[in-house]
Amino acid sequence: MRTVFSEDHRCQDGRSELIEGQFVPCNEMPRRAEIVIDRVRATKLGEILPAQDFGLDPILRVHDKGLVTFLQNAWEEWAATGRTFDALPHVWPVPGLGRRLSDSIDGKLGYYAIDAGTPIMSGTWRAVQASANVALTAQKLVATGERATFALCRPPGHHAGSDFYGGYCFLNNAGIAAQAFLDQGAKRVAILDVDYHHGNGTQQMFYGRADVLTVSLHADPKQEFPYFLGYADEIGAGAGEGYHVNLPLPWGTDWASYSEALEVGLKRIRQYGPDALVISLGLDTFEHDPISRFKLKHEDYSRLGDRIAWMELPTLFIMEGGYAVDALGVNTVNVLAGFEQRG
C-alpha cells in the first residue's frame, strides 16, 4: 500500500490548547505524523509519495469560501494586532447571542471555531492546505485503480464542517476526498469514521445528501466531545434521511463490543453499495490514549483492517486522531497491514 505524506505538516505546531479548563501542551503535535511515517518506512509498507497541489477548487466543493478565506488570512490579522502567540477564540455566538461575522479577528475566531483547542499560528494555512492535498493525491490513486492508499494527513479533518473548524481540524480531508470521488464519476461514496470522537464535521457536511453515506463509531456524546452531535437518532435529513448512521459507545468499550458495532456499520455500507470507501482512521480508541476511554489493544487494529478489507471496495485511509504518540505508528500500520493481508 502506498502512503502519501507532506513535510509541511510541521508548520502546524501549537504551543497550547484549552482542554478541561486548563491550558496544556497540544496533544495534536508534529511528532504524531513523524512516528507514523517512521513506522511505515520500518515495516516497508510501500512507497511513500509527496502530495500534488490541487488548488482551492476541490476544497471549495465542500467548504464555505468564507471559512477558507478566514483560514488563509487569520494569522496575518491576528499578528497585525501585535500578538505573537497562537490565536484562539474566547467568545462564541451561542443561541440567543446571534451569529454575525465581525470585522475583528477575535470575533472571526469565535464565529468559525467550535472550541479553544485548535490554535492558529503562522504556518497553519500551509499545513492545512498540504493536508488536503495529501488526501486528494491519495484519492486520485484510488480513483485511477489502486485497491487502497493511505493519506497520512496532518492536521486531521473530521471535526471541520462546511463553515467551521475545531477539534484540531481545519478542513475536512475525508469530505474533500469523498466529493472528489463523486466529481470524478462515482455515484455513491461511503465514509466510515472509526475515530474515538464523533465526526461532527463530516455529519454536518453530508447530512442532507444521499450520495454520501456516513457511518461513525465513537464515544457517546453524552460523555465526550463534541457533545452536541453524534446521537443515534441523527439519521440524516431531507434527501439524506437514512444515509447517516451514528453508533455511540460507552466509556470502557473493548474489541468485543466495538466489533459488534463495527459489523452493524459495515452491513449498512454493504447495503448501500458504494463505488468507493473512505476511512476516517482515528486511533484514539487505543487503551492508553491520554484523552480517550476505549480499551482497544494493538492486535485489535489488525482485526479492524481485516474487517474493512472484507468489504472488497476501493478504499482510501485518511489519518485522523490518535494521541498515545509512542504507540500511534504501530497501531496505524497494524490497520493497514491487516487490510493488506486480506488481499
Side-chain angles (χ1 to χ4, degrees), residues 8 87 89 111 149 162 186 193 235 257 272 299 343:
D8 283 348
Y111 183 90
T149 308
S162 60
D193 191 326
I235 61 170
S257 50
Y272 183 66
E299 58 269 24

Side-chain angles (χ1 to χ4, degrees), residues 27-39:
N27 287 289
E28 206 296 287
M29 63 183 77
R31 188 162 169 260
R32 295 182 62 245
E34 299 300 331
I35 205 161
V36 173
I37 200 67
D38 287 349
R39 183 69 176 178

